[in-house]
Amino acid sequence: MEFLVKAIVFLPLIAALIAGFAGRAIGDRGAQWVTTLALIASAVLSWIVFFKVGFEGAGGTYRIATWIVSDTFDGAWSLRVDTLTAVMLIVVTTVSSMVHLYSIGYMAEDPSIPRFMAYLSLFTFAMLMLVTADNLVQLFFGWEGVGLASYLLIGFWYEKPSANAAAIKAFIVNRVGDFGFALGIFAVYLMTGSVQFDAIFKLAPELAKMHFTFLGAEVPALTTICLLLFVGACGKSAQLGLHTWLPDAMEGPTPVSALIHAATMVTAGVFMVARLSPLFELSPTALAVVTIVGASTAFFAATIGLTQWDIKRVVAYSTCSQLGYMFFACGVGAYSAGIFHLMTHAFFKALLFLGSGSVIHAMHHEQDMRHMGGLKNKIRQTHILMWIGTLSLAGIGIPFILGSGIGLAGFHSKDIILEAAYGAHSGVGFYAYWLGIAGAFMTAFYSCRLMFLTFYGKPHDHHHYEHAHESPAVMLIPLYVLALGAVVAGFVGYGIFVGEGWAGFWRGAIAAESTKEALHHAHEVPWLVKLLPLIAAVAGITLSWWFYVGSKSNLPKMMVNAFPPIYRLFYNKWYFDELYDFLFVRPSMWIGRQLWKKGDVGIIDGIGPNGLAAGASRMSGILSRAQSGYLYHYAFAMLIGVALLVTWYMLSRGR
């Protein structure tokens, strides 16, 4: 078991090093297959570990090496393997292996293939370090590792100014969240004397009774710690307020978007909350904040998705919205439901991103849906596979049949989240439920809008349409694998994740008491509560069809003209970028300009280079004129000096 876990984690790192440092020696094809085969092997081993841990109760903690030891602090490098880790391993490695395979075709013409494949594998390794962490320091190492890798991948095409700007934006916004996360880790160590998870969890009941002074106020220790940690989760998982980097991350190649949005960086925040659920469940205030932020994000991001034209940005905002569902599931105590949705979402979201990449590949890198249309007859396989992902995202299924119902993966995981929110019977729970229902309606609408604009109607760019072609097999095979997960993952996983077998499956990897109560109430909600998400999804699909296919009039344009302020609000992303530009960017630029002009140039240069140094230079220029080289000049100067000396002597004696 120990060997399997170490192989899963380190195979991507070895592949990254080979592709990165020996890329010229092994060539493009060698770099592609070394990294891809390493990830496929890691994925196969992850599934073996998943079955051993989830169904046989195997697992444990495997020490790698001594890492950081200082006085009483011991931050050992160990790999923690429990059910939560096992689930994340299959999600990360399965999606990443498919992204690697897909990249062989998608990036075939790129001149920097070894570098790209090395970055992908490095990204995967960093995420594996994060999910196998046994302490907060190692978790932070993986946390920052995915941040670094995302910066490298988003800005991979560094010749484009927009790619550089997007990479910098992602890096800076995440630093804001990571500052709160680091403060949370410091506070945990301050209050418990440890960063190791089991030691912290044992002290959690005592921690809930403690207080400390923070920013001059006496505050409850556990709530403050959880909120600080959640700030980090908001940055990594692009929750409301720290979400602005996520859509711009589309500047990276499409395989990068799939990896970031489906299996790695953005899921890190949800994983962290679930991993630290024994702390969060003891702080009702922190859980309420998590619920409100998650529900608000689910609604907010969906409104923006209604108006976007870039095919990848539409899918990106759906990621932001679905992450909100995962968070408010954790906020109402249904941690297993949140991870269940994380798992199913990885399949259908990777499918949608890679499917979008197939469309972009067919359209010669055109991403604007206004230039598409009529592609269903050109790329039939991509068309069918993307419908599977779209309907799974919309949550299409039939409840009440065979207990949990029959439907695509998103149906099972999204519905149990909404049922848990309603079953919480709290103000924040109802808030999350109704915003979640509104989000489900909008998600179905804009997801099908993407399909109708891309694959139906008349072609809008005949040149690209005529040359459109289906993707090669190396790009389609990953789509079929992911489509299989988008179809069956929910039905197969429901019983062990959130059904009757959840306790035996999770075995204490998440907060058991909160999950037990949340799932019990979720299964007891009225039948209309269970049916309403499907009604909302079907209504959204129907309305989308009527807007973009069925109606002969230009309904979208009429709607925009009828409600221009609302459309501008949604299209401009609620003006968050403009707000942050006004509140932070411009003041920072003004301060920097003042420090430059008045501080650096005016004071430092004025006193230094332009002051004392300039004065000394001028004085030396004047004095140097006396050094003429003529003997009579020096004799005359000596005579004047003697005369002045005698005069001074005579005058001083006279006193």
Side-chain angles (χ1 to χ4, degrees):
M1 185 69 175
E2 182 176 354
F3 172 78
L4 294 179
V5 175
K6 290 180 179 178
I8 291 168
V9 173
F10 289 107
L11 277 174
L13 176 62
I14 295 170
L17 293 174
I18 293 174
F21 292 105
R24 292 185 179 180
I26 63 178
D28 293 352
R29 188 63 68 185
Q32 289 172 329
W33 285 112
V34 163
T35 53
T36 302
L37 292 175
L39 261 297
I40 291 174
S42 186
V44 172
L45 296 177
S46 294
W47 280 98
I48 295 173
V49 169
F50 172 76
F51 285 108
K52 283 183 172 292
V53 174
F55 300 98
E56 299 178 13
T61 301
Y62 309 109
R63 188 181 181 93
I64 301 296
T66 299
W67 188 22
I68 302 174
V69 178
S70 176
D71 195 19
T72 60
F73 179 85
D74 183 9
W77 186 8
S78 302
L79 303 179
R80 180 190 184 95
V81 181
D82 56 13
T83 307
L84 180 58
T85 302
V87 171
M88 294 302 298
L89 287 178
I90 62 170
V91 168
V92 173
T93 57
T94 302
V95 173
S96 182
S97 62
M98 293 301 100
V99 169
H100 277 72
L101 183 61
Y102 180 92
S103 298
I104 293 176
Y106 191 86
M107 302 293 289
E109 299 177 1
D110 195 275
S112 302
I113 289 174
R115 179 166 62 91
F116 180 77
M117 302 305 290
Y119 287 170
L120 281 184
S121 294
L122 180 64
F123 200 176
T124 306
F125 167 72
M127 189 65 188
L128 292 174
M129 287 299 301
L130 191 155
V131 301
T132 57
D134 187 48
N135 59 70
L136 287 170
V137 175
Q138 186 182 331
L139 178 66
F140 191 72
F141 170 76
W143 194 271
E144 294 303 306
V146 295
L148 169 64
S150 69
Y151 171 80
L152 296 173
L153 285 167
I154 294 169
F156 178 76
W157 287 324
Y158 55 84
E159 303 90 349
K160 296 169 56 179
S162 57
N164 285 324
I168 293 171
K169 184 176 183 180
F171 199 76
I172 292 175
V173 173
N174 273 276
R175 297 291 70 71
V176 176
D178 292 352
F179 179 68
F181 188 56
L183 287 178
I185 294 174
F186 295 154
V188 168
Y189 183 69
L190 174 68
M191 302 305 293
T192 65
S194 177
V195 293
Q196 203 274 332
F197 291 140
D198 289 334
I200 297 168
F201 297 158
K202 288 180 182 178
L203 295 172
E206 298 179 19
L207 192 59
K209 303 173 185 177
M210 297 180 183
H211 290 74
F212 63 76
T213 302
F214 181 71
L215 298 178
E218 193 75 9
V219 294
L222 186 60
T223 297
T224 305
I225 288 170
C226 290
L227 290 177
L228 288 171
L229 295 172
F230 181 61
V231 170
C234 287
K236 276 289 179 287
S237 296
Q239 292 301 282
L240 186 61
L242 294 177
H243 67 281
T244 54
W245 67 270
L246 193 63
D248 292 346
M250 298 304 98
E251 289 291 338
T254 298
V256 174
S257 304
L259 196 57
I260 289 177
H261 286 250
T264 54
M265 186 167 172
V266 297
T267 61
V270 180
F271 166 79
M272 185 270 290
V273 172
R275 171 61 78 203
L276 299 178
S277 55
L279 299 182
F280 278 87
E281 73 167 344
L282 297 178
S283 176
T285 302
L287 288 179
V289 171
V290 172
T291 305
I292 292 170
V293 172
S296 301
T297 304
F299 176 83
F300 157 81
T303 62
I304 301 174
L306 297 171
T307 61
Q308 300 302 301
W309 295 109
D310 186 305
I311 187 172
K312 287 171 63 177
R313 283 180 180 265
V314 174
V315 184
Y317 276 109
S318 77
T319 298
C320 194
S321 180
Q322 295 304 306
L323 288 165
Y325 282 90
M326 299 174 206
F327 273 111
F328 77 70
C330 295
V332 297
Y335 299 100
S336 62
I339 298 300
F340 185 32
H341 195 52
L342 185 155
M343 186 268 291
T344 61
H345 174 266
F347 289 109
F348 61 73
K349 186 51 58 66
L351 173 60
L352 285 173
F353 263 115
L354 297 185
S356 299
S358 184
V359 173
I360 295 167
H361 182 267
M363 293 292 289
H364 302 281
H365 301 286
E366 177 60 65
Q367 296 183 196
D368 194 324
M369 295 185 295
R370 290 171 291 190
H371 298 159
M372 299 179 186
L375 290 174
K376 68 174 182 176
N377 296 322
K378 284 283 189 175
I379 46 176
R380 295 178 182 273
Q381 295 181 72
T382 300
H383 167 241
I384 295 171
L385 291 166
M386 284 196 69
W387 263 122
I388 294 173
T390 297
L391 295 177
S392 186
L393 171 61
I396 297 301
I398 305 173
F400 313 121
I401 298 178
L402 298 178
S404 62
I406 296 179
L408 298 173
F411 159 75
H412 291 281
S413 57
K414 177 174 64 64
D415 280 25
I416 190 63
I417 288 175
L418 292 171
E419 291 159 14
Y422 188 91
H425 297 295
S426 62
V428 294
F430 290 133
Y431 175 82
Y433 176 78
W434 289 111
L435 286 190
I437 292 294
F441 169 78
M442 290 186 286
T443 298
F445 181 90
Y446 68 68
S447 299
C448 291
R449 170 180 176 263
L450 180 153
M451 295 298 296
F452 295 140
L453 289 172
T454 302
F455 294 101
Y456 296 84
K458 297 179 180 180
H460 297 288
D461 188 324
H462 289 279
H463 174 71
H464 283 158
Y465 176 80
E466 292 299 328
H467 293 85
H469 56 84
E470 186 61 271
S471 298
V474 74
M475 292 173 63
L476 290 175
I477 290 172
L479 298 185
Y480 279 102
V481 173
L482 295 168
L484 178 64
V487 172
V488 305
F491 180 77
V492 172
Y494 187 90
I496 59 174
F497 275 83
V498 294
E500 294 181 357
W502 76 268
F505 175 74
W506 288 103
R507 291 186 177 88
I510 54 176
E513 290 301 320
S514 296
T515 304
K516 179 180 179 181
E517 183 178 359
L519 293 181
H520 171 72
H521 291 303
H523 294 305
E524 299 296 325
V525 298
W527 66 270
L528 184 59
V529 172
K530 294 176 178 287
L531 188 61
L532 200 54
L534 177 61
I535 295 173
V538 172
I541 293 172
T542 304
L543 188 63
S544 182
W545 176 85
W546 181 248
F547 265 56
Y548 297 99
V549 179
S551 175
K552 301 302 180 183
S553 59
N554 197 344
L555 279 178
K557 188 174 182 180
M558 293 169 59
M559 187 64 69
V560 170
N561 293 334
F563 304 99
I566 296 176
Y567 174 78
R568 285 197 297 270
L569 178 67
F570 293 170
Y571 182 74
N572 291 291
K573 300 163 286 188
W574 293 52
Y575 295 101
F576 265 92
D577 284 319
E578 290 78 3
L579 177 64
Y580 287 170
D581 182 67
F582 175 75
L583 292 178
F584 303 114
V585 177
R586 292 185 185 181
S588 298
M589 292 291 290
W590 182 85
I591 293 172
R593 194 174 294 109
Q594 297 305 308
L595 292 174
W596 168 40
K597 290 290 188 181
K598 296 184 179 179
D600 191 8
V601 176
I603 299 176
I604 297 175
D605 287 354
I607 295 175
N610 299 329
L612 296 177
S617 178
R618 287 193 297 270
M619 183 60 67
S620 64
I622 295 171
L623 294 176
S624 66
R625 295 174 184 173
Q627 306 299 321
S628 64
Y630 292 106
L631 183 61
Y632 62 87
H633 285 173
Y634 299 147
F636 180 74
M638 293 171 65
L639 183 61
I640 295 297
V642 170
L644 291 174
L645 181 62
V646 171
T647 302
W648 172 78
Y649 179 77
M650 294 295 292
L651 291 175
S652 61
R653 291 281 294 185
R655 293 194 189 98

